[in-house]
Amino acid sequence: MSAPPIGADGSLRARAFPPNWPLRIGAALFVAYVIYAAGIVDIRWERFVQGLGNGARFLGRMFPPNLAHDKMQLLAQGMLESLQIAIIATGAGVLLALPVGLCAARNLMPLPVTVLARGLIALCRTFHPVIVAILFVKAVGFGALAGILALIVATIGFIAKLIAEAIEEMSMKPIEALRAAGSPFLSVVTMGVVPQVLPRFIGFAAYQLDSNLRNSALVGLVGGGGIGATLFTAFQRFDYDFVLTIIIAIILAVMAGEILSAFMRRVYQDEAPSGEVKAGANGPVWHRFTTAERSMRLAFWAVAALALGWSFQTIEVIPEFLYDAPAQTVDLFARMWPIDWAYFPKTVQQALIETLHTATLGTILAILLATPVALMCARNISSSAWVNTLGRFILVATRSVHTLVWALFFVAVFGPGALAGVLAVAVHSIGFTGKFLAEAIEEAKPGPIEALRAAGAPRRSVLLKGFWPQVKPAFLAVSLFRWDINVRESAVLGLVGAGGLGVALQAAMDNLYWDQVGLVLAVIFAVVVVTEIVTATLRAKVI
Amino acid sequence: MSALSAAEAPGHGRALVIRNLVKEYRKGQPVLRDISLSVTEPGIVAIIGPSGTGKSTLIRCINRLVDPTSGSIMLGGTDLAKLQGEPLRAARRRLGMVFQEYNLVERLTVIENVLCGRLGYVPVWRAWTRRFPEADIARAFALLDSVGLADFATRRADQLSGGQRQRVGIARAVMQEPDLILADEPTSSLDPKTSVEIMELLAKVGRERDIPVLVNIHNVALARRYALRMIGMSKGVVVYDGPPAGLQESHLAEIYGGEGWME
């Protein structure tokens, strides 16, 4: 091992540790951008300090949560309505999403059908549920119906896309076999497609129920009924102690929903039916499920049907509003056309820039905040169960409270403007970003980590040289994905006064200038499409 | 005496003395039952035995990737079994380890993987800014050259073959300037020809650096060829400890159980 150190000054040596100019320039640009953008959204130290004082007073007024009898009745009413909205929207949305998803599957359907179905899915996904809810409130009036319709649209967008992907990923061999046996199309679907896709489909539906529960708290902020309406009223009346009660109730409901959906996924996904053979009158008979499995499934479908029936029975929907909804919707869009381009340079351009900065700064801040929480959650880094649990609680709590609700809070603390928006985006994103980061860290291969520990490397060096290279691709992908989502979110934050395009949207709606509303919606549409293209391109480069 | 100063005492630091080592993963079910042995001589010491007999556990107890239940592991006057935190880190620096699955950080370059062997020595900021000391970098290149991979320095580790990766793994272990190298089944994932090359390399490292190389190995023939001493383990105890020449068929039958497999 005493060979002369070859390459000691050779070219290889120079190439091994080149000064990383792209990284340095990137870092410099990054810092410059943050300073510049922080100036645009008016983030200043004095404002922050002043806000902290406000925040303390605000939190003081929130404690203790208001548990008075009349408030609890309001709470129960709102929560119940939200639950009904979520159940109906999930049930109806999933039923509608099935055929749409089937039509969008390129391995089953002819091209024109898939193009149409995919267009519909894209349209459903483009607009934030809050914007869809606003439009439905204008079309069918205030109340639960608007909320339900908005969430149905969101459900179709999400579920149909996943169904289409699931169908495209499934094995074509059984399909070929069924076709070869001369089965008609619907039999191919029931015997070939459904068995392969059903477990995942149940998983999506469970997830969507969970997500609709969260979003049903949201649509109420713009008049779509449910607990969101109760929350918004409480905010406007400065009933901050009741606000806290409502937020705690929402967090608990979302947690319960997550536990339920995890349970459903376990029943339907992880455990394949074991089946059994029983002695029958004419010899042994095969049953697909054991008795326990069958009763489990029966109970599940019974509960689902009951919940749906109960929700339809008790929800307050004024039928007249439903009947003229199509006419109203058409009228609404007619009034938006032609859109008012003159509004763009006056207000919308500025708002657009603010929205993009809000999304970007919010995402950067979210990553900074989420990284330590992810390290707390990752069991291969923090071995203490206490630290893991605390980390997981932070993730769930930040994620359960929607960006718009966080925005209400930060507007109350820091005043209206993009600063509140940035903080709302950042805090809500902790849950999502932290969850995926923690998962990526836990998936890191233990071998290299063990090797570095065996070499006596200190913890921070193990983090940087062992974990970071393994986690980096997932880290960048999650950040990009979250930025994509945050652009959509930032576009609606202005509805509660947190800056950006939402402010322009609200102003136009308040003035009943529907051609200006049309312009803002068109701009949001364009931004979302461009964002999707940008993230898709970047993602392909990163991974 | 601290681990570091013990390690610096020449000829003394590499005396490994294990006494009454017991490891139970579940209470009442020991994997290692009262192991005592000492290793002072340089060169390959091969540990053979069937799967699940505790060979890996023994190796991992020495550098404390596994915490022993009881017993002592003395290395140059320090009881490794009792170390925690900073002193444990300092002691681990003097124990190089070579893994069955190489355990390279796949997305780092080969040269950075070799330099990972210095992470226990260099300050954290140097690792973070990739500014390893000049002397370390020069040694890393020299080591890569000596394992025949000088041209691969700037390749990413996941572009190498199994044998090449194991050479990098060995270079990384040597980079630690160890008093002892532990190798946990270093050839089990490699083809027969590459396995021979890797054993050759480990023997050379032991010879040139004058340190013991403790190797877990399944291939008895390969072990006999390179080891200066063989340790046979069965069911958590040492059943043979001596030169390869003294290892009889009867010993093998005792170690692996039955005789049918030998034909």
Side-chain angles (χ1 to χ4, degrees):
Chain A
M1 293 281 148
S2 51
I6 74 116
D9 341 81
S11 60
L12 196 59
R13 177 71 183 284
R15 269 192 289 135
F17 293 93
N20 195 341
W21 280 109
L23 185 73
R24 288 182 199 177
I25 293 170
L29 286 177
F30 180 80
V31 171
Y33 166 77
V34 170
I35 293 170
Y36 160 78
I40 296 245
V41 302
D42 196 23
I43 295 179
R44 276 174 296 122
W45 186 243
E46 310 93 84
R47 258 192 96 187
F48 189 71
V49 171
Q50 196 191 351
L52 286 186
N54 282 345
R57 235 174 306 139
F58 191 83
L59 288 176
R61 286 182 59 185
M62 284 176 101
F63 280 99
N66 190 338
L67 301 173
H69 185 65
D70 57 324
K71 298 288 185 198
M72 293 311 278
Q73 266 183 329
L74 274 177
L75 177 76
Q77 229 173 5
M79 291 300 287
L80 215 58
E81 195 174 41
S82 274
L83 186 63
Q84 291 166 337
I85 293 176
I87 289 173
I88 296 177
T90 309
V94 164
L95 285 182
L96 290 170
L98 266 175
V100 179
L102 193 62
C103 290
R106 280 178 283 223
N107 51 353
L108 283 185
M109 290 293 179
L111 186 70
V113 180
T114 64
V115 169
L116 267 178
R118 278 173 186 266
L120 178 63
I121 293 173
L123 199 65
C124 289
R125 284 167 53 79
T126 305
F127 286 108
H128 197 282
V130 165
I131 292 185
V132 181
I134 290 178
L135 295 179
F136 277 118
V137 167
K138 299 296 170 195
V140 302
F142 283 93
L145 180 61
I148 292 172
L149 293 175
L151 292 187
I152 286 179
V153 168
T155 306
I156 293 176
F158 182 77
I159 300 277
K161 178 167 186 273
L162 290 179
I163 291 177
E165 280 169 6
I167 293 178
E168 284 176 358
E169 280 167 19
M170 75 183 181
S171 161
M172 287 305 280
K173 286 172 190 160
I175 312 293
E176 260 173 27
L178 289 170
R179 281 182 179 155
S183 315
F185 178 74
L186 275 181
S187 305
V188 171
V189 170
T190 47
M191 299 306 288
V193 177
V194 171
Q196 294 196 60
V197 178
L198 186 72
R200 291 180 69 186
F201 170 69
I202 299 280
F204 302 150
Y207 176 81
Q208 188 62 28
L209 176 65
D210 177 31
S211 140
N212 276 349
L213 196 63
R214 216 173 320 194
N215 283 340
S216 66
L218 188 68
V219 291
L221 294 179
V222 292
I227 191 70
T230 325
L231 180 66
F232 197 52
T233 316
F235 254 109
Q236 285 181 320
R237 292 166 146 197
F238 308 110
D239 278 346
Y240 291 135
D241 49 355
F242 187 37
V243 164
L244 182 60
T245 318
I246 297 174
I247 287 178
I248 291 173
I250 293 178
I251 293 179
L252 289 180
V254 169
M255 278 178 166
E258 276 188 13
I259 292 171
L260 182 73
S261 74
F263 176 72
M264 274 165 62
R265 269 180 296 219
R266 222 186 52 222
V267 169
Y268 274 88
Q269 270 182 315
D270 301 346
E271 293 158 19
S274 36
E276 59 183 354
V277 178
K278 277 187 190 161
N282 307 316
V285 179
W286 174 75
H287 296 273
R288 190 157 160 239
F289 303 115
T290 62
T291 317
E293 280 168 353
R294 196 171 35 246
S295 40
M296 193 77 196
R297 273 154 211 255
L298 257 177
F300 163 70
W301 288 111
V303 168
L306 273 177
L308 208 54
W310 163 75
S311 303
F312 270 118
Q313 286 276 309
T314 47
I315 195 123
E316 285 177 47
V317 170
I318 302 163
E320 288 75 23
F321 281 7
L322 189 55
Y323 300 144
D324 74 342
Q328 291 283 353
T329 314
V330 170
D331 179 51
L332 194 65
F333 281 104
R335 273 186 282 169
M336 287 185 196
W337 196 260
I339 56 179
D340 178 12
W341 287 107
Y343 191 45
F344 187 82
K346 268 189 276 173
T347 319
V348 176
Q349 188 182 5
Q350 184 63 38
L352 171 62
I353 291 169
E354 202 171 61
T355 290
L356 290 176
H357 287 321
T358 304
T360 312
L361 284 179
T363 309
I364 291 169
L365 190 57
I367 294 165
L368 289 180
L369 294 172
T371 304
V373 184
L375 292 177
M376 285 168 73
C377 290
R379 272 175 284 243
N380 49 355
I381 290 187
S382 313
S383 46
S384 146
W386 272 104
V387 176
N388 294 154
T389 313
L390 178 63
R392 274 171 210 281
F393 175 76
I394 296 176
L395 294 190
V396 173
T398 51
R399 204 172 59 210
S400 304
V401 178
H402 213 282
T403 317
L404 272 176
V405 180
W406 280 115
L408 279 171
F409 172 80
F410 285 117
V411 166
V413 170
F414 293 102
L419 173 59
V422 169
L423 291 173
V425 165
V427 173
H428 176 72
S429 306
I430 291 176
F432 178 96
T433 319
K435 180 167 181 274
F436 283 97
L437 281 186
E439 279 169 10
I441 295 172
E442 284 186 345
E443 278 163 21
K445 283 192 208 151
I449 310 300
E450 195 173 50
L452 298 194
R453 279 177 47 218
R459 267 176 86 90
R460 276 168 296 164
S461 295
V462 175
L463 273 181
L464 185 86
K465 293 287 172 185
F467 281 102
W468 173 241
Q470 298 193 55
V471 173
K472 195 160 101 181
F475 183 84
L476 294 177
V478 170
S479 308
L480 265 178
F481 188 30
R482 190 63 224 184
W483 180 71
D484 184 13
I485 297 174
N486 282 344
V487 170
R488 287 162 212 241
E489 303 255 302
S490 304
V492 298
L493 286 175
L495 295 171
V496 296
L501 284 167
V503 177
L505 183 65
Q506 186 77 58
M509 282 194 305
D510 287 346
N511 296 329
L512 302 177
Y513 290 153
W514 289 99
D515 47 355
Q516 294 185 354
V517 172
L519 172 74
V520 177
L521 291 184
V523 168
I524 292 177
F525 186 84
V527 167
V528 169
V529 171
V530 170
T531 317
E532 280 235 11
I533 295 170
V534 169
T535 47
T537 321
L538 285 177
R539 200 171 302 152
K541 264 191 188 160
V542 169
I543 303 170
Chain B
M1 191 194 282
S2 85
L4 195 58
S5 55
E8 275 159 359
H12 186 56
R14 55 170 198 258
L16 174 75
V17 182
I18 298 174
R19 282 216 182 85
N20 306 109
L21 183 67
V22 174
K23 172 62 189 176
E24 299 175 342
Y25 288 103
R26 281 196 213 109
K27 206 154 178 49
Q29 299 175 16
V31 176
L32 298 178
R33 305 160 188 258
D34 200 28
I35 301 264
S36 293
L37 53 90
S38 67
V39 178
T40 46
E41 70 283 6
I44 289 188
V45 177
I47 305 175
I48 58 169
S51 301
T53 198
K55 301 191 306 288
S56 277
T57 303
L58 173 61
I59 289 247
R60 278 156 192 266
C61 277
I62 296 172
N63 67 356
R64 293 284 305 283
L65 287 177
V66 168
D67 288 330
T69 307
S70 66
S72 68
I73 302 164
M74 305 297 289
L75 183 72
T78 315
D79 187 356
L80 296 177
K82 294 206 167 49
L83 296 182
Q84 281 302 335
E86 202 59 26
L88 174 61
R89 266 201 334 99
R92 277 177 171 168
R93 303 193 301 210
R94 313 296 299 194
L95 300 167
M97 181 143 178
V98 177
F99 298 83
Q100 177 182 348
E101 297 292 338
Y102 333 122
N103 288 6
L104 303 183
V105 185
E106 295 191 341
R107 295 175 58 88
L108 293 183
T109 59
V110 166
I111 193 74
E112 274 198 275
N113 267 293
V114 177
L115 282 164
C116 277
R118 297 307 290 178
L119 285 181
Y121 295 90
V122 300
V124 173
W125 70 267
R126 278 191 179 272
W128 282 58
T129 53
R130 299 173 86 221
R131 277 169 211 237
F132 287 92
E134 274 305 306
D136 285 352
I137 297 178
R139 265 195 70 226
F141 273 99
L143 272 175
L144 264 189
D145 188 39
S146 72
V147 299
L149 290 174
D151 296 336
F152 292 83
T154 55
R155 296 270 191 95
R156 247 168 64 162
D158 51 8
Q159 295 173 345
L160 303 189
S161 70
Q164 291 171 329
R165 287 185 203 203
Q166 196 57 294
R167 288 165 183 275
V168 177
I170 294 171
R172 174 173 67 185
V174 174
M175 196 67 202
Q176 288 173 235
E177 297 184 86
D179 297 322
L180 171 71
I181 285 182
L182 307 167
D184 192 6
E185 316 242 355
T187 60
S188 294
S189 304
L190 301 172
D191 64 65
K193 178 167 172 280
T194 316
S195 297
V196 170
E197 289 168 6
I198 291 296
M199 286 304 282
E200 188 90 47
L201 182 58
L202 284 172
K204 185 175 128 192
V205 167
R207 222 171 28 243
E208 290 183 352
R209 300 193 57 87
D210 198 28
I211 55 172
V213 180
L214 217 55
V215 183
N216 275 346
I217 188 162
H218 271 303
N219 186 332
V220 178
L222 198 58
R224 272 185 200 271
R225 187 164 151 196
Y226 288 99
L228 304 174
R229 172 180 165 194
M230 310 253 303
I231 295 174
M233 279 179 72
S234 177
K235 301 191 181 86
V237 294
V238 173
V239 294
Y240 177 85
D241 187 350
L247 189 71
Q248 304 297 320
E249 301 258 307
S250 60
H251 292 122
L252 289 174
E254 191 188 352
I255 294 168
Y256 288 99
E259 283 169 4
W261 62 273
M262 283 192 273
E263 288 155 15

